[in-house]
Amino acid sequence: MLASTLRTAARPCRSVLQSRVQSVLTQAVRMRSHLPLNTVVLFVPQQEAWVVERMGRFHRVLEPGINVLIPLLDKVKYVQSLKEIAIDVPQQAAITSDNVALNIDGVLYLRIIDPYRASYGVEDPEFAITQLAQTTMRSELGKISLDYVFRERESLNMNIVDVINKASESWGITCLRYEIRDIRLPPRVQDAMQMQVEAERRKRAAILESEGVREAEINVAEGKRKARILASEADKVEQVNNAKGRAEGLSILCQALSHKQGLNAASLATAQSYIEAFQHLAKQNNTLILPANAGDVTGVVGSAVTMYNALAKTMQANSKYQEEVPAEPTPPPSLSSSPLPFSQSLPEDQ
């Protein structure tokens, strides 16, 4: 129990030591293995600044090119690189505003703009910047939720850069940019996010399917409506054509009947229709209703001709009466009124 407690307490110290050692190693790789000796004449490389002390006190910063120093009095104390430096920010744990623990690391890009402040303002500039970046990153992540960590990644990087620049101004260092490299979530949170994504996709699929069904039903209903409209228009045209054909047929029949042999032709057509009617008897029903003189074709035709003559006389009388009576507005006769008087006074020979 005691050993586990000691291991748990030693983890933060171990991480700090590891980051410290890594920073020292990277700084040793970037800088020279040893400080240059005072050889009176020194050649300073481009994009480097050599800080010189005279008798233990800051004297000046050597510019790139040839420089002359006084032996024994002048000494190159610090060598600063003026190039852009990329520092690996170690992975660390952070908690968002919605209490989600995540591990995050990044890369920091900085540059030394004042060699004097970078040499005398802070003991280890890179280590100080790294620690500042880690604390700032934890602080900024604690202000937003997990969803906004992925959505506002660019704004999060900009906020970290602004905070670092405000703090490192006195160190002679400027932070150019900060990039979040990797974000690791707990397995349960990853499973929950995966389930959320799947549910969202199923929801979109269901919505798209329902919209497709709705559009299909609308199209089917629209097609049925147009089909019914076209069918009704076709029925209307058919009925109009049938009426026109019947009217033309009646007109032709009327002209034919007005001929001197029209009555004989009508008698022949009536006799043919009468004979053809007997062919359809007892086809659908066994009960038959026949006239008393079913076999007397001549009598039936004569009755039909007599009926036709009576109707023709009535129509002629009505047309003559309408020509003789002046056009005066008269109320229409009621249904229960007696027949017109002129129907009784017409001569029989007409």
Side-chain angles (χ1 to χ4, degrees):
M1 183 69 180
L2 181 60
S4 61
T5 305
L6 291 176
R7 284 195 297 269
T8 305
R11 286 176 183 174
C13 298
R14 188 183 307 166
S15 61
V16 172
L17 289 176
Q18 289 177 354
S19 60
R20 176 70 174 178
V21 171
Q22 185 177 5
S23 176
V24 172
L25 291 176
T26 53
Q27 185 177 6
V29 170
R30 296 191 194 98
M31 299 177 62
R32 295 166 178 256
S33 59
H34 58 84
L35 296 176
L37 298 177
N38 187 357
T39 57
V40 182
V41 179
L42 299 178
F43 297 94
V44 180
Q46 185 67 30
Q47 290 297 97
E48 284 191 5
W50 291 5
V51 179
V52 177
E53 291 183 354
R54 176 168 292 179
M55 294 186 297
R57 188 176 180 181
F58 172 74
H59 177 58
R60 66 190 180 98
V61 178
L62 300 182
E63 299 294 336
I66 185 171
N67 292 272
V68 179
L69 298 179
I70 301 175
L72 302 177
L73 298 181
D74 296 336
K75 179 182 178 182
V76 179
K77 185 65 176 178
Y78 299 99
V79 176
Q80 302 291 350
S81 176
L82 303 181
K83 300 177 183 179
E84 184 176 348
I85 304 172
I87 301 177
D88 184 13
V89 180
Q91 183 178 356
Q92 62 175 342
I95 300 176
T96 60
S97 61
D98 51 353
N99 298 325
V100 177
L102 50 85
N103 295 325
I104 187 169
D105 58 0
V107 180
L108 184 65
Y109 298 89
L110 54 88
R111 178 180 294 170
I112 296 176
I113 57 176
D114 191 347
Y116 174 78
R117 292 184 180 180
S119 302
Y120 297 100
V122 62
E123 179 65 24
D124 190 348
E126 294 184 3
F127 178 76
I129 287 292
T130 302
Q131 296 301 314
L132 181 61
Q134 289 182 338
T135 56
T136 304
M137 184 165 52
R138 283 195 298 267
S139 176
E140 293 295 329
L141 288 175
K143 298 177 182 179
I144 59 178
S145 62
L146 180 61
D147 295 335
Y148 287 96
V149 173
F150 300 98
R151 295 178 184 176
E152 301 182 1
R153 196 166 181 172
E154 187 67 25
S155 62
L156 181 62
N157 294 336
M158 294 178 61
N159 293 336
I160 295 175
V161 170
D162 293 339
V163 174
I164 292 176
N165 285 331
K166 290 179 182 179
S168 63
E169 184 178 359
S170 60
W171 300 341
I173 301 173
T174 178
C175 180
L176 301 178
R177 59 188 178 276
Y178 178 84
E179 297 293 338
I180 297 176
R181 185 168 56 187
D182 191 11
I183 299 176
R184 296 181 178 86
L185 300 175
R188 292 185 178 180
V189 176
Q190 290 183 358
D191 295 340
M193 293 178 65
Q194 186 67 26
M195 294 174 61
Q196 182 180 2
V197 172
E198 292 178 358
E200 184 68 23
R201 293 189 179 277
R202 285 195 298 267
K203 174 184 174 182
R204 293 180 182 177
I207 292 174
L208 292 176
E209 184 178 1
S210 63
E211 290 180 354
V213 172
R214 184 187 65 178
E215 293 294 333
E217 292 180 353
I218 291 174
N219 292 337
V220 171
E222 187 70 19
K224 290 182 179 180
R225 185 179 72 87
K226 291 183 178 180
R228 290 181 179 179
I229 292 173
L230 293 176
S232 63
E233 290 180 354
D235 294 340
K236 175 184 176 182
V237 173
E238 183 179 2
Q239 292 177 5
V240 171
N241 292 335
N242 292 335
K244 289 182 178 179
R246 187 174 178 82
E248 292 178 358
L250 292 176
S251 177
I252 295 173
L253 181 60
C254 182
Q255 293 178 3
L257 291 176
S258 63
H259 195 268
K260 60 181 180 178
Q261 297 296 333
L263 183 60
N264 296 330
S267 300
L268 178 60
T270 304
Q272 290 179 352
S273 300
Y274 183 79
I275 293 172
E276 291 176 357
F278 280 92
Q279 297 178 359
H280 303 285
L281 294 177
K283 283 188 176 181
Q284 298 180 354
N285 194 358
N286 295 330
T287 303
L288 300 177
I289 300 176
L290 298 174
N293 55 349
D296 188 6
V297 180
T298 306
V300 174
V301 173
S303 299
V305 172
T306 303
M307 187 181 298
Y308 170 75
N309 291 330
L311 291 174
K313 291 179 181 180
T314 304
M315 294 299 296
Q316 291 177 1
N318 288 336
S319 60
K320 289 181 180 180
Y321 179 77
Q322 290 179 359
E323 292 177 357
E324 295 175 357
V325 175
E328 293 181 359
T330 56
S334 60
L335 295 177
S336 61
S337 61
S338 60
L340 293 175
F342 65 83
S343 63
Q344 300 177 359
S345 60
L346 292 175
E348 295 182 355
D349 56 351
Q350 293 180 358

